[in-house]
Short mmCIF file of all heavy atoms in Angstrom, two decimals:
data_model
loop_
_atom_site.label_atom_id
_atom_site.label_comp_id
_atom_site.label_asym_id
_atom_site.label_seq_id
_atom_site.Cartn_x
_atom_site.Cartn_y
_atom_site.Cartn_z
N MET B 11 29.71 -96.77 75.64
CA MET B 11 28.71 -97.44 76.47
C MET B 11 28.40 -96.57 77.68
O MET B 11 29.31 -95.94 78.24
CB MET B 11 29.24 -98.78 76.99
CG MET B 11 29.37 -99.86 75.95
SD MET B 11 27.80 -100.68 75.68
CE MET B 11 27.62 -101.58 77.22
N PHE B 12 27.13 -96.56 78.08
CA PHE B 12 26.73 -95.87 79.30
C PHE B 12 26.22 -96.90 80.31
O PHE B 12 25.56 -97.87 79.93
CB PHE B 12 25.62 -94.86 79.02
CG PHE B 12 26.08 -93.62 78.30
CD1 PHE B 12 26.15 -93.60 76.92
CD2 PHE B 12 26.46 -92.49 79.02
CE1 PHE B 12 26.59 -92.46 76.26
CE2 PHE B 12 26.90 -91.35 78.37
CZ PHE B 12 26.96 -91.34 76.98
N VAL B 13 26.55 -96.70 81.57
CA VAL B 13 26.05 -97.58 82.62
C VAL B 13 25.76 -96.74 83.86
O VAL B 13 26.46 -95.75 84.13
CB VAL B 13 27.05 -98.70 82.94
CG1 VAL B 13 28.34 -98.15 83.54
CG2 VAL B 13 26.43 -99.74 83.87
N GLN B 14 24.74 -97.13 84.57
CA GLN B 14 24.40 -96.45 85.82
C GLN B 14 25.33 -96.95 86.91
O GLN B 14 25.68 -98.16 86.96
CB GLN B 14 22.95 -96.75 86.19
CG GLN B 14 22.33 -95.83 87.22
CD GLN B 14 22.15 -94.42 86.70
OE1 GLN B 14 21.77 -94.19 85.56
NE2 GLN B 14 22.43 -93.45 87.57
N GLU B 15 25.73 -96.06 87.77
CA GLU B 15 26.57 -96.44 88.91
C GLU B 15 25.93 -97.59 89.67
O GLU B 15 24.71 -97.64 89.83
CB GLU B 15 26.73 -95.22 89.83
CG GLU B 15 27.80 -95.35 90.88
CD GLU B 15 27.91 -94.09 91.75
OE1 GLU B 15 27.00 -93.22 91.65
OE2 GLU B 15 28.88 -93.97 92.50
N LYS B 16 26.76 -98.54 90.10
CA LYS B 16 26.38 -99.72 90.87
C LYS B 16 25.78 -100.84 90.03
O LYS B 16 25.54 -101.92 90.56
CB LYS B 16 25.44 -99.37 92.04
CG LYS B 16 26.04 -98.39 93.03
CD LYS B 16 25.09 -98.08 94.17
CE LYS B 16 25.69 -97.01 95.09
NZ LYS B 16 24.77 -96.64 96.18
N GLU B 17 25.56 -100.59 88.75
CA GLU B 17 25.08 -101.66 87.89
C GLU B 17 26.25 -102.37 87.22
O GLU B 17 27.36 -101.86 87.18
CB GLU B 17 24.13 -101.09 86.83
CG GLU B 17 22.81 -100.60 87.43
CD GLU B 17 21.82 -100.17 86.35
OE1 GLU B 17 22.21 -100.08 85.18
OE2 GLU B 17 20.66 -99.92 86.70
N ALA B 18 25.97 -103.56 86.68
CA ALA B 18 26.98 -104.31 85.95
C ALA B 18 26.94 -103.92 84.47
O ALA B 18 25.90 -103.50 83.95
CB ALA B 18 26.75 -105.81 86.10
N VAL B 19 28.09 -104.07 83.81
CA VAL B 19 28.17 -103.74 82.38
C VAL B 19 29.07 -104.76 81.70
O VAL B 19 30.04 -105.25 82.30
CB VAL B 19 28.70 -102.30 82.18
CG1 VAL B 19 30.12 -102.14 82.71
CG2 VAL B 19 28.62 -101.88 80.72
N THR B 20 28.73 -105.08 80.46
CA THR B 20 29.53 -106.02 79.67
C THR B 20 30.08 -105.30 78.45
O THR B 20 29.33 -104.69 77.68
CB THR B 20 28.68 -107.21 79.21
OG1 THR B 20 28.21 -107.93 80.35
CG2 THR B 20 29.51 -108.15 78.34
N LEU B 21 31.39 -105.38 78.29
CA LEU B 21 32.05 -104.81 77.12
C LEU B 21 32.44 -105.96 76.20
O LEU B 21 33.10 -106.91 76.62
CB LEU B 21 33.30 -104.03 77.55
CG LEU B 21 33.09 -102.94 78.60
CD1 LEU B 21 34.39 -102.19 78.85
CD2 LEU B 21 31.98 -101.99 78.21
N ASP B 22 32.03 -105.84 74.94
CA ASP B 22 32.20 -106.95 74.00
C ASP B 22 33.57 -106.96 73.32
O ASP B 22 34.15 -105.91 73.03
CB ASP B 22 31.12 -106.89 72.91
CG ASP B 22 29.73 -107.11 73.47
OD1 ASP B 22 29.61 -107.66 74.58
OD2 ASP B 22 28.76 -106.73 72.78
N CYS B 23 34.05 -108.17 73.06
CA CYS B 23 35.30 -108.34 72.33
C CYS B 23 35.25 -109.67 71.59
O CYS B 23 34.98 -110.71 72.20
CB CYS B 23 36.49 -108.33 73.28
SG CYS B 23 38.08 -108.72 72.50
N THR B 24 35.46 -109.65 70.30
CA THR B 24 35.63 -110.88 69.54
C THR B 24 37.01 -110.87 68.90
O THR B 24 37.58 -109.81 68.65
CB THR B 24 34.55 -111.06 68.46
OG1 THR B 24 34.59 -109.94 67.58
CG2 THR B 24 33.17 -111.18 69.07
N TYR B 25 37.53 -112.06 68.67
CA TYR B 25 38.89 -112.15 68.15
C TYR B 25 38.96 -113.21 67.06
O TYR B 25 38.03 -114.03 66.91
CB TYR B 25 39.87 -112.47 69.29
CG TYR B 25 39.58 -113.78 69.98
CD1 TYR B 25 40.19 -114.96 69.57
CD2 TYR B 25 38.68 -113.85 71.04
CE1 TYR B 25 39.91 -116.16 70.18
CE2 TYR B 25 38.40 -115.05 71.67
CZ TYR B 25 39.01 -116.20 71.24
OH TYR B 25 38.73 -117.39 71.85
N ASP B 26 40.03 -113.18 66.34
CA ASP B 26 40.22 -114.15 65.25
C ASP B 26 41.69 -114.56 65.23
O ASP B 26 42.58 -113.71 65.10
CB ASP B 26 39.83 -113.54 63.91
CG ASP B 26 39.90 -114.57 62.78
OD1 ASP B 26 39.71 -115.77 63.06
OD2 ASP B 26 40.15 -114.17 61.63
N THR B 27 41.94 -115.85 65.35
CA THR B 27 43.29 -116.37 65.26
C THR B 27 43.24 -117.84 64.91
O THR B 27 42.27 -118.53 65.24
CB THR B 27 44.05 -116.18 66.59
OG1 THR B 27 45.38 -116.68 66.44
CG2 THR B 27 43.37 -116.89 67.75
N SER B 28 44.28 -118.31 64.24
CA SER B 28 44.41 -119.74 63.96
C SER B 28 45.46 -120.37 64.86
O SER B 28 45.70 -121.58 64.79
CB SER B 28 44.78 -119.95 62.49
OG SER B 28 45.98 -119.26 62.19
N ASP B 29 46.07 -119.54 65.70
CA ASP B 29 47.07 -120.03 66.63
C ASP B 29 46.36 -120.72 67.79
O ASP B 29 45.47 -120.13 68.40
CB ASP B 29 47.89 -118.84 67.16
CG ASP B 29 49.20 -119.26 67.81
OD1 ASP B 29 49.21 -120.29 68.50
OD2 ASP B 29 50.19 -118.54 67.63
N PRO B 30 46.71 -121.99 68.11
CA PRO B 30 46.02 -122.67 69.21
C PRO B 30 46.38 -122.09 70.59
O PRO B 30 45.63 -122.28 71.55
CB PRO B 30 46.50 -124.12 69.09
CG PRO B 30 47.82 -124.02 68.40
CD PRO B 30 47.71 -122.85 67.47
N SER B 31 47.50 -121.42 70.67
CA SER B 31 47.94 -120.83 71.94
C SER B 31 47.89 -119.32 71.84
O SER B 31 48.59 -118.72 71.02
CB SER B 31 49.37 -121.28 72.25
OG SER B 31 49.85 -120.63 73.40
N TYR B 32 47.05 -118.72 72.64
CA TYR B 32 46.94 -117.25 72.62
C TYR B 32 46.48 -116.77 73.98
O TYR B 32 45.96 -117.53 74.80
CB TYR B 32 45.99 -116.77 71.51
CG TYR B 32 44.60 -117.38 71.56
CD1 TYR B 32 43.58 -116.80 72.30
CD2 TYR B 32 44.33 -118.55 70.86
CE1 TYR B 32 42.32 -117.38 72.35
CE2 TYR B 32 43.07 -119.13 70.90
CZ TYR B 32 42.07 -118.54 71.64
OH TYR B 32 40.82 -119.12 71.68
N GLY B 33 46.71 -115.51 74.21
CA GLY B 33 46.27 -114.89 75.45
C GLY B 33 45.42 -113.67 75.14
O GLY B 33 45.66 -112.97 74.15
N LEU B 34 44.44 -113.45 75.96
CA LEU B 34 43.54 -112.31 75.78
C LEU B 34 43.66 -111.40 77.00
O LEU B 34 43.70 -111.88 78.14
CB LEU B 34 42.10 -112.80 75.62
CG LEU B 34 41.90 -113.65 74.37
CD1 LEU B 34 40.67 -114.52 74.51
CD2 LEU B 34 41.81 -112.79 73.12
N PHE B 35 43.75 -110.12 76.77
CA PHE B 35 43.98 -109.14 77.82
C PHE B 35 42.94 -108.02 77.73
O PHE B 35 42.48 -107.68 76.63
CB PHE B 35 45.37 -108.49 77.68
CG PHE B 35 46.51 -109.47 77.64
CD1 PHE B 35 46.85 -110.12 76.46
CD2 PHE B 35 47.25 -109.71 78.78
CE1 PHE B 35 47.91 -111.01 76.42
CE2 PHE B 35 48.32 -110.60 78.74
CZ PHE B 35 48.64 -111.25 77.56
N TRP B 36 42.62 -107.46 78.86
CA TRP B 36 41.85 -106.22 78.90
C TRP B 36 42.66 -105.17 79.64
O TRP B 36 43.26 -105.44 80.70
CB TRP B 36 40.51 -106.42 79.60
CG TRP B 36 39.45 -107.00 78.72
CD1 TRP B 36 39.12 -108.31 78.55
CD2 TRP B 36 38.55 -106.25 77.89
NE1 TRP B 36 38.09 -108.43 77.66
CE2 TRP B 36 37.71 -107.19 77.23
CE3 TRP B 36 38.35 -104.88 77.63
CZ2 TRP B 36 36.69 -106.81 76.35
CZ3 TRP B 36 37.36 -104.51 76.75
CH2 TRP B 36 36.54 -105.46 76.12
N TYR B 37 42.68 -103.97 79.04
CA TYR B 37 43.36 -102.83 79.64
C TYR B 37 42.35 -101.69 79.80
O TYR B 37 41.46 -101.50 78.96
CB TYR B 37 44.51 -102.34 78.75
CG TYR B 37 45.72 -103.24 78.75
CD1 TYR B 37 45.83 -104.27 77.82
CD2 TYR B 37 46.75 -103.04 79.66
CE1 TYR B 37 46.95 -105.09 77.81
CE2 TYR B 37 47.88 -103.85 79.65
CZ TYR B 37 47.96 -104.88 78.72
OH TYR B 37 49.07 -105.70 78.71
N LYS B 38 42.56 -100.91 80.84
CA LYS B 38 41.75 -99.70 81.10
C LYS B 38 42.65 -98.50 80.90
O LYS B 38 43.78 -98.49 81.38
CB LYS B 38 41.24 -99.74 82.54
CG LYS B 38 40.58 -98.47 83.02
CD LYS B 38 40.22 -98.58 84.50
CE LYS B 38 39.61 -97.31 85.04
NZ LYS B 38 39.30 -97.42 86.50
N GLN B 39 42.15 -97.50 80.19
CA GLN B 39 42.91 -96.28 79.99
C GLN B 39 42.07 -95.07 80.40
O GLN B 39 41.23 -94.60 79.63
CB GLN B 39 43.39 -96.14 78.54
CG GLN B 39 44.36 -94.98 78.35
CD GLN B 39 44.94 -94.92 76.96
OE1 GLN B 39 44.25 -95.16 75.97
NE2 GLN B 39 46.23 -94.59 76.85
N PRO B 40 42.31 -94.54 81.60
CA PRO B 40 41.62 -93.31 81.99
C PRO B 40 42.11 -92.13 81.16
O PRO B 40 43.07 -92.27 80.39
CB PRO B 40 42.02 -93.15 83.47
CG PRO B 40 42.68 -94.42 83.86
CD PRO B 40 43.20 -95.05 82.62
N SER B 41 41.49 -91.00 81.36
CA SER B 41 41.88 -89.81 80.58
C SER B 41 43.30 -89.38 80.87
O SER B 41 43.92 -88.67 80.06
CB SER B 41 40.91 -88.66 80.86
OG SER B 41 40.86 -88.39 82.25
N SER B 42 43.86 -89.82 81.99
CA SER B 42 45.26 -89.48 82.32
C SER B 42 46.25 -90.14 81.36
O SER B 42 47.38 -89.68 81.21
CB SER B 42 45.58 -89.91 83.74
OG SER B 42 45.38 -91.30 83.90
N GLY B 43 45.83 -91.23 80.71
CA GLY B 43 46.66 -91.83 79.68
C GLY B 43 47.28 -93.18 80.00
O GLY B 43 47.58 -93.94 79.09
N GLU B 44 47.46 -93.49 81.26
CA GLU B 44 48.12 -94.75 81.58
C GLU B 44 47.25 -95.95 81.20
O GLU B 44 46.05 -95.95 81.43
CB GLU B 44 48.42 -94.81 83.07
CG GLU B 44 49.18 -96.06 83.48
CD GLU B 44 49.58 -96.05 84.94
OE1 GLU B 44 49.23 -95.09 85.65
OE2 GLU B 44 50.26 -96.99 85.36
N MET B 45 47.86 -96.95 80.61
CA MET B 45 47.18 -98.20 80.28
C MET B 45 47.33 -99.14 81.46
O MET B 45 48.43 -99.54 81.81
CB MET B 45 47.81 -98.86 79.04
CG MET B 45 47.63 -98.08 77.77
SD MET B 45 46.05 -98.40 77.00
CE MET B 45 46.36 -100.00 76.29
N ILE B 46 46.20 -99.49 82.07
CA ILE B 46 46.22 -100.30 83.28
C ILE B 46 45.76 -101.72 82.94
O ILE B 46 44.65 -101.91 82.42
CB ILE B 46 45.29 -99.69 84.35
CG1 ILE B 46 45.71 -98.25 84.67
CG2 ILE B 46 45.28 -100.55 85.61
CD1 ILE B 46 44.68 -97.47 85.43
N PHE B 47 46.60 -102.68 83.22
CA PHE B 47 46.26 -104.08 82.98
C PHE B 47 45.17 -104.52 83.95
O PHE B 47 45.28 -104.30 85.16
CB PHE B 47 47.50 -104.96 83.14
CG PHE B 47 47.20 -106.43 83.23
CD1 PHE B 47 46.69 -107.11 82.14
CD2 PHE B 47 47.39 -107.12 84.41
CE1 PHE B 47 46.40 -108.46 82.22
CE2 PHE B 47 47.12 -108.46 84.51
CZ PHE B 47 46.62 -109.14 83.41
N LEU B 48 44.11 -105.12 83.43
CA LEU B 48 42.99 -105.54 84.27
C LEU B 48 42.92 -107.05 84.47
O LEU B 48 42.81 -107.53 85.60
CB LEU B 48 41.66 -105.09 83.64
CG LEU B 48 41.41 -103.59 83.53
CD1 LEU B 48 40.07 -103.35 82.84
CD2 LEU B 48 41.45 -102.93 84.89
N ILE B 49 42.96 -107.80 83.37
CA ILE B 49 42.66 -109.22 83.47
C ILE B 49 43.21 -109.96 82.27
O ILE B 49 43.33 -109.39 81.17
CB ILE B 49 41.13 -109.42 83.61
CG1 ILE B 49 40.78 -110.82 84.11
CG2 ILE B 49 40.40 -109.07 82.32
CD1 ILE B 49 39.32 -110.94 84.57
N TYR B 50 43.54 -111.23 82.47
CA TYR B 50 44.12 -112.08 81.43
C TYR B 50 43.37 -113.41 81.36
O TYR B 50 42.97 -113.97 82.39
CB TYR B 50 45.60 -112.34 81.74
CG TYR B 50 46.18 -113.48 80.96
CD1 TYR B 50 46.61 -113.28 79.65
CD2 TYR B 50 46.24 -114.77 81.48
CE1 TYR B 50 47.12 -114.33 78.90
CE2 TYR B 50 46.76 -115.81 80.74
CZ TYR B 50 47.19 -115.59 79.46
OH TYR B 50 47.68 -116.63 78.71
N GLN B 51 43.20 -113.89 80.13
CA GLN B 51 42.60 -115.22 79.90
C GLN B 51 43.45 -115.97 78.89
O GLN B 51 43.70 -115.44 77.79
CB GLN B 51 41.18 -115.08 79.36
CG GLN B 51 40.46 -116.38 79.08
CD GLN B 51 39.80 -116.97 80.33
OE1 GLN B 51 39.16 -116.27 81.11
NE2 GLN B 51 39.94 -118.28 80.50
#
Side-chain angles (χ1 to χ4, degrees):
Chain B
M11 289 277 290
F12 286 87
V13 65
Q14 197 67 41
E15 193 179 11
K16 300 180 184 178
E17 291 186 350
V19 63
T20 298
L21 306 184
D22 294 341
C23 173
T24 58
Y25 61 92
D26 185 28
T27 181
S28 57
D29 196 322
S31 175
Y32 55 89
L34 297 158
F35 305 82
W36 278 92
Y37 287 90
K38 171 185 178 182
Q39 188 175 39
S41 56
S42 58
E44 183 175 3
M45 293 277 283
I46 302 166
F47 166 67
L48 296 178
I49 196 167
Y50 164 82
Q51 180 84 44

